């Protein structure tokens, strides 16, 4: 019997070699093939060059007026350039790392290029060469393919797939939802993604399938969350309320309302017999560490140990310091364990952890090594959790007696992403800063103004204050970062000599070297710290009141916001200067937004809109589900609706009587999402 799960090898024209090729496109079954939707439709609107906005993706059609020239640089890197006449204008087209396209460009021949338009330089960064004959069709599907398979071949296979299997596509949404939202039936929708009768039909197909994707995703998240929280062996941490209250009274300040609220949420989780699986979000300086301390103290009061894990040694030491201070007048014993803890001390710490003498362990990933055993671990808190690898977090969670887990992050996560990336977690948000914080005044300047900015800096140094200078990231090479930072460091040293001391901090340094430098800066032995982004998270030197960020346009908004959060931590007014000369309109826009708001949530939402979800957390660890049709930013309202409907459905046991129930259940089961924190 034919099934959608049949291998594509059953199609004619698909032998072992083609099976391999299709696999690289993640097409293995007929179902994969039918749902390998076009990534766009060639809906050519004849736009005039002046009408195309900067960075817009367009198809430009014209005549090549030069052959393509390929230049190689770096490792496996190349740039292919040719000129082309569009209307009456000559533009430059550049393709990166696709030297093999050279044979497709011939002077005087017609070409059509899909790419990104740079309005100022009148140039197109090519993404794809389009077949010119397809231009005649008004609405042609364009698939992502590779050099082993052609568009036309794929289209033929999909057609064949529909002929043989199209009837087997099953409706998997409950009837009441199809009616309520006027959703297109699945069979029609899948087909209309490939071979729409009209643009409108295609639009409705997309709408239906996007809804389905979001809906299934949410159901899966709910299921996972139930599994996660309902696991056996959760510890009810029966903390001592009186002791906790007494401890709060000893703090040098009143907790903000937001801190009280989230502390209550966390405490309630700890008290319950289920696993805590919670994300704590709060802007830089909102007082998360304080909340973490409360949770750790609560665990201590119930005779449980706690662990606080952070991504860098600098941070670990800082947390160690502030916790030791907070717990100074209590019997709580805090210890620090990092990669550079000396063997002898380390041995003692390990022994005291097992014996239960140490109540709280602060550290880097050294915390999760096998030899580190606790006597009674109740709660684990990780700071800036998205910087930890999947396995590291998993190991931590499995340590001890299935501890409660709290993830803290200072990256404000827009709601869209919170729903998708953390769908299965509970979320607490600190949306309020302690009173009396002065906003950081931010300005945007051009590189040639650097020395005059340094004069301003000198003025602040003269008043006894300190400053950071942040160097840009260059590509992915840490060595280049270092070289670049070194040059900037030398310039500044010379500039401020002999009155003020300048130091350099970068990621290639040994941990103890970094520590020495941080220590010198904290003690105001150095007044200016030149640093790469290793400084980014959590570092706290309230006397530093100015930050200059060089080539600021190379950073994402969320990251700039993080960096900027290193100043404005004391009572004095603070300044941030972004040095950048962005070429694109979008780059300028980004700099402008930074000068206009210090609200992390506003910035992160903008960042998301401008760079897309994939780049938000940094490309390597986005941890976001890959939707085929839905766009979590553009289709945000639909995402919210699907989420509500998923929650409703889950609450209604009678849904299993829907005639499409079985198909839906099957879809949920087979849904897989690569989420970095789910393992
Ligand atoms: P985060 O970890 O969220 O960046 P921290 O916990 O490091 O923030 O807090 C930043 C600073 O604010 C610290 O110096 C801390 O002592 C102080 N702080 C925390 N909570 C309060 C509060 N409720 N009122 C005043 N200051 C606070
Ligand atoms: Mg912090």
């Amino acid at each position: 019997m034919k099934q959608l799960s049949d291998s594509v090898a059953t199609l004619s024209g698909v032998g072992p070699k083609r099976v391999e090729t299709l696999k690289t496109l993640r097409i293995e079954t007929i179902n994969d093939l039918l749902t390998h939707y076009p990534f766009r439709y060639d809906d050519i609107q004849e736009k005039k060059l002046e009408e195309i906005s900067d960075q817009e993706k367009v198809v430009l059609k014209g005549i090549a007026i030069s052959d393509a020239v390929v230049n190689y640089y770096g490792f496996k890197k190349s740039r292919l350039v040719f000129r082309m006449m569009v209307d009456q204008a000559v533009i430059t087209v550049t393709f990166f790392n696709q030297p093999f396209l050279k044979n497709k460009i011939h002077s005087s021949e017609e070409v059509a290029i899909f790419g990104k338009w740079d309005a100022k330089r009148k140039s197109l960064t090519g993404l794809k060469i389009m077949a010119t004959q397809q231009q005649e069709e008004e609405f042609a599907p364009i698939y992502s393919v590779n050099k082993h398979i052609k568009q036309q071949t794929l289209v033929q296979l999909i057609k064949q797939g529909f002929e043989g299997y199209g009837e087997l596509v099953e409706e998997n949404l409950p009837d009441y939802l199809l009616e309520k939202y006027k959703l297109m039936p699945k069979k029609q929708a899948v087909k209309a993604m490939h071979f729409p009768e009209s643009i409108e039909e295609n639009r409705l197909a997309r709408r239906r399938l996007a809804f389905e994707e979001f809906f299934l995703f949410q159901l899966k998240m709910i299921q996972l969350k139930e599994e996660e929280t309902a696991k056996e062996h959760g510890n009810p941490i029966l903390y001592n309320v009186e002791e906790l209250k007494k401890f709060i009274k000893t703090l040098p300040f009143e907790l903000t309302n937001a801190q009280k609220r989230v502390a209550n949420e966390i405490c309630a989780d700890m008290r319950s017999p289920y696993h805590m699986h919670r994300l704590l979000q709060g802007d830089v300086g909102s007082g998360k560490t304080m909340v973490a301390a409360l949770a750790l103290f609560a665990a201590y009061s119930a005779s449980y140990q706690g662990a606080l894990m952070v991504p860098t040694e600098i941070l670990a030491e800082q947390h160690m310091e502030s916790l030791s201070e907070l717990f100074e007048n209590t019997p709580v014993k805090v210890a620090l364990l990092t990669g550079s803890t000396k063997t002898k001390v380390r041995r003692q710490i390990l022994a005291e952890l097992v014996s239960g003498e140490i109540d709280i362990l602060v550290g880097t990933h050294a915390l999760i090594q096998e030899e580190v055993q606790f006597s009674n671990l109740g709660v684990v808190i990780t700071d800036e959790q998205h910087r930890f690898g999947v396995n590291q977090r998993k190991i931590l969670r499995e340590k001890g007696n299935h501890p409660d887990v709290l993830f803290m992050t200072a990256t404000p996560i827009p709601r869209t992403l919170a729903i998708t990336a953390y769908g299965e977690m509970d979320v607490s948000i600190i949306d309020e800063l302690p009173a009396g914080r002065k906003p950081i005044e931010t300005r945007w300047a051009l590189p040639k103004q650097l020395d005059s900015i340094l004069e301003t800096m000198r003025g602040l140094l003269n008043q006894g204050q300190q400053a950071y200078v942040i160097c840009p990231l260059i590509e992915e090479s840490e060595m280049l970062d270092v070289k670049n930072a070194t040059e900037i460091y030398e310039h500044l040293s010379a500039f401020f000599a002999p009155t003020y001391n300048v130091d350099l901090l970068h990621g290639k340094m040994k941990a103890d070297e970094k520590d020495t430098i941080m220590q010198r800066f904290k003690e105001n032995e150095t007044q200016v710290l030149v640093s790469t982004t290793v400084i980014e998270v959590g570092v706290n030197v309230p006397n530093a009141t100015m930050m200059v960020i060089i080539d600021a346009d190379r950073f994402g908004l969320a990251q700039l916001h993080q960096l900027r959060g290193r100043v404005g931590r004391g009572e004095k007014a603070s300044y941030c200067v972004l040095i950048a000369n962005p070429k694109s309109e979008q780059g300028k826009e980004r700099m402008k937004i930074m000068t206009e708001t210090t609200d992390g949530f506003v910035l992160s939402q903008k960042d998301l809109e401008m760079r897309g979800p994939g780049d938000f957390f940094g490309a390597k660890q986005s941890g976001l589900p890959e939707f085929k049709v839905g766009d979590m930013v553009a289709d945000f309202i639909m995402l919210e609706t699907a989420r509500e409907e998923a929650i409703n459905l889950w609450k209604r046991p009678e849904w299993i009587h829907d005639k499409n129930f079985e198909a839906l259940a099957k879809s949920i089961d087979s849904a897989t999402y690569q989420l970095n924190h789910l393992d």
Side-chain angles (χ1 to χ4, degrees):
M1 207 175 65
K2 280 186 175 178
Q3 285 184 334
L4 287 169
S5 56
D6 288 352
S7 161
V8 279
T10 59
L11 298 175
S12 69
V14 182
K17 206 163 150 218
R18 185 141 283 163
V19 165
E20 283 310 307
T21 302
L22 289 169
K23 215 178 202 168
T24 63
L25 294 173
R26 294 203 242 167
I27 301 174
E28 297 186 38
T29 65
I30 301 290
N31 190 53
D32 297 337
L33 179 71
L34 298 189
T35 57
H36 185 77
Y37 302 127
F39 77 93
R40 56 180 290 275
Y41 300 87
D42 199 1
D43 175 19
I44 308 294
Q45 303 154 356
E46 289 287 332
K47 268 197 180 174
K48 293 226 161 53
L49 286 183
E50 309 83 71
E51 291 169 356
I52 307 171
S53 35
D54 190 47
Q55 305 299 314
E56 188 183 344
K57 288 188 181 164
V58 287
V59 177
L60 288 181
K61 208 161 111 177
I63 309 284
I65 56 170
S66 73
D67 283 334
V69 178
V70 178
N71 284 303
Y72 290 89
Y73 62 100
F75 177 66
K76 282 194 175 170
K77 291 194 169 159
S78 70
R79 187 189 296 120
L80 176 153
V81 182
F82 68 96
R83 280 175 302 143
M84 137 182 195
M85 176 102 104
V86 181
D87 301 333
Q88 297 304 314
V90 174
I91 67 159
T92 310
V93 180
T94 310
F95 275 94
F96 290 99
N97 309 326
Q98 298 188 58
F100 46 86
L101 295 178
K102 184 171 162 49
N103 306 330
K104 298 204 170 172
I105 306 294
H106 304 287
S107 187
S108 316
E109 282 182 14
E110 195 177 42
V111 278
I113 308 290
F114 172 62
K116 206 194 245 179
W117 179 242
D118 184 324
K120 194 167 156 207
R121 296 160 65 192
K122 295 246 172 295
S123 74
L124 188 71
T125 304
L127 297 170
K128 207 170 183 56
I129 298 186
M130 314 294 294
T132 32
Q133 70 270 22
Q134 258 177 17
Q135 306 288 304
E136 268 83 70
E137 281 177 49
E138 205 197 331
F139 196 75
I142 307 296
Y143 295 90
S144 67
V145 287
N146 56 33
K147 59 181 174 198
H148 302 294
I149 187 160
K150 285 194 274 204
Q151 289 281 332
Q152 288 87 330
T153 316
L154 198 58
V155 173
Q156 284 314 314
L157 290 179
I158 292 170
K159 276 197 177 131
Q160 207 194 124
F162 269 107
E163 278 155 23
Y165 293 83
E167 283 311 302
L168 297 179
V169 176
E170 259 181 315
E171 183 54 64
N172 60 350
L173 288 180
D175 278 343
Y176 72 89
L177 285 180
L178 295 175
E179 269 162 44
K180 184 168 174 188
Y181 296 104
K182 305 273 173 288
L183 298 173
M184 184 183 275
K186 173 123 180 183
K187 203 173 294 178
Q188 186 189 352
V190 174
K191 188 145 190 204
M193 286 299 284
H194 302 280
F195 314 111
E197 312 247 298
S198 66
I199 294 181
E200 183 59 10
E201 192 196 24
N202 181 264
R203 190 183 70 78
L204 293 173
R206 214 197 135 272
R207 178 172 170 273
R208 135 89 211 203
L209 291 168
F211 183 91
E212 177 191 319
E213 265 185 314
F214 290 155
F215 184 66
L216 284 176
F217 174 73
Q218 292 301 335
L219 286 173
K220 187 86 180 180
M221 287 304 107
I222 294 172
Q223 200 182 43
L224 283 172
K225 184 170 167 182
E226 295 214 334
E227 281 169 16
E228 189 72 36
T229 46
K231 265 181 207 151
E232 293 159 52
H233 318 297
N235 303 306
I237 297 183
L238 303 173
Y239 58 90
N240 185 322
V241 184
E242 288 313 311
E243 257 185 74
L244 189 59
K245 279 189 179 159
K246 227 162 56 194
F247 172 64
I248 292 173
K249 284 226 176 73
T250 67
L251 299 176
F253 42 70
E254 175 84 1
L255 294 176
T256 64
N257 286 329
Q259 280 173 318
K260 287 181 194 161
R261 190 187 63 239
V262 302
N264 276 329
E265 288 165 356
I266 292 164
C267 282
D269 279 358
M270 293 188 9
R271 190 166 262 280
S272 90
Y274 300 108
H275 283 174
M276 170 160 71
H277 195 55
R278 186 174 284 277
L279 176 72
L280 174 60
Q281 285 191 56
D283 214 335
V284 255
S286 62
K288 291 183 298 297
T289 311
M290 194 57 242
V291 173
L294 293 179
L296 292 167
F297 187 86
Y300 157 79
S301 79
S303 306
Y304 280 98
Q305 291 169 303
L308 176 59
M309 185 157 98
V310 299
T312 66
E313 297 209 355
I314 295 178
L315 256 186
E317 272 160 34
Q318 211 170 269
H319 276 311
M320 175 65 194
E321 228 168 84
S322 40
L323 289 183
S324 305
E325 212 173 293
L326 274 172
F327 296 132
E328 205 174 3
N329 301 314
T330 69
V332 176
K333 181 161 182 188
V334 190
L336 174 72
L337 186 68
T338 69
S340 47
T341 305
K342 300 266 175 336
T343 317
K344 211 174 128 199
V345 181
R346 183 185 157 83
R347 254 189 230 131
Q348 188 179 348
I349 289 176
L350 293 184
E352 292 182 358
L353 273 178
V354 176
S355 71
E357 235 165 297
I358 291 174
D359 302 302
I360 296 169
L361 185 64
V362 180
T364 53
H365 52 271
L367 260 180
I368 57 173
Q369 284 154 7
E370 184 112 24
E371 317 90 82
V372 183
Q373 298 294 338
F374 293 79
S375 110
N376 194 16
L377 183 61
V379 60
V380 172
I381 303 177
T382 76
D383 201 3
E384 289 309 321
Q385 61 98 11
H386 61 275
R387 293 182 159 231
F388 283 116
V390 175
N391 289 327
Q392 293 175 324
R393 287 201 301 273
K394 186 170 169 184
I395 296 170
L396 193 59
R397 206 157 52 213
E398 285 169 359
K399 266 202 177 294
N401 191 18
H402 298 271
D404 281 332
V405 182
L406 179 69
F407 301 100
M408 302 201 293
T409 178
T411 309
I413 300 166
R415 188 165 156 71
T416 327
L417 289 184
I419 288 180
T420 41
Y422 299 99
E424 91 306 353
M425 289 172 105
D426 293 307
V427 179
S428 291
I429 298 179
I430 307 185
D431 51 5
E432 179 188 4
L433 292 181
R437 290 278 163 79
K438 295 228 171 60
I440 302 158
E441 195 182 315
T442 303
R443 261 175 281 161
W444 166 27
L446 296 171
K448 62 178 184 219
Q449 294 168 279
L450 178 65
D451 281 1
S452 93
I453 291 160
L454 294 182
E455 280 308 334
T456 311
M457 186 179 286
R458 195 196 295 277
L460 289 173
L461 302 185
N462 288 342
Q463 295 171 32
Q465 297 169 27
Q466 291 166 278
Y468 297 101
V469 176
I470 307 296
C471 306
L473 307 152
I474 301 171
E475 309 243 310
E476 271 139 21
S477 151
E478 225 175 315
M479 279 321 289
L480 277 176
D481 283 355
V482 172
K483 175 170 172 287
N484 185 52
T486 309
E487 275 168 20
I488 292 166
Y489 160 72
E490 278 163 8
H491 179 75
L492 266 86
S493 296
F495 191 93
F496 289 117
T499 330
Y500 297 115
N501 297 328
V502 182
D503 248 343
L504 172 66
L505 186 74
H506 61 70
K508 281 277 172 198
M509 288 175 164
K510 298 232 169 61
D512 50 350
E513 244 179 304
K514 282 192 221 161
D515 286 352
T516 313
I517 289 169
M518 271 324 292
Q519 211 49 45
R520 281 159 55 89
F521 190 63
K522 273 189 189 168
E523 283 159 16
N524 201 357
E525 282 171 35
T526 40
Q527 287 70 46
V528 180
L529 185 62
V530 176
S531 173
T532 58
T533 52
V534 288
I535 206 79
E536 190 182 340
V537 240
V539 168
N540 190 20
V541 180
N543 192 45
T545 54
M546 182 171 183
M547 171 172 284
V548 174
I549 304 178
I550 295 176
D551 282 358
D553 51 336
R554 289 183 190 242
F555 299 96
L557 292 179
Q559 200 180 12
L560 286 173
H561 180 64
Q562 282 288 312
L563 288 166
R564 182 167 62 180
R566 298 308 108 223
V567 294
R569 301 177 79 83
E571 271 101 69
K572 293 176 213 109
S574 290
Y575 308 91
C576 176
V577 183
L578 308 170
I579 299 189
N581 191 9
K583 300 279 178 309
S584 68
E585 284 309 312
Q586 209 199 53
K588 289 177 187 159
E589 170 90 15
R590 282 159 25 89
M591 293 303 107
K592 228 172 117 243
I593 292 167
M594 284 301 296
T595 65
E596 285 166 0
T597 181
T598 49
D599 184 325
F601 277 97
V602 172
L603 288 170
S604 65
Q605 180 62 36
K606 280 281 174 204
D607 207 17
L608 175 64
E609 285 165 14
M610 288 181 163
R611 297 198 305 162
D615 281 338
F616 187 82
F617 294 114
K620 281 180 205 122
Q621 40 192 356
S622 84
L624 292 168
E626 285 177 24
F627 295 119
K628 280 185 175 178
V629 184
D631 175 329
M632 62 182 94
V633 180
D635 304 324
F636 175 51
I637 294 175
M638 193 190 282
L639 176 62
E640 293 247 283
T641 311
R643 177 181 165 81
E644 277 162 33
E645 291 296 353
I647 293 168
N648 287 340
L649 181 92
W650 205 261
K651 286 194 209 135
R652 294 170 29 157
E654 67 273 21
W655 73 284
I656 59 167
H657 302 305
D658 193 283
K659 73 175 178 0
N660 305 334
F661 164 71
E662 235 172 88
L664 176 60
K666 217 161 55 185
S667 302
I668 300 173
D669 272 351
S670 59
T672 53
Y673 301 97
Q674 291 170 339
L675 290 175
N676 62 1
H677 54 284
L678 281 181
D679 314 324

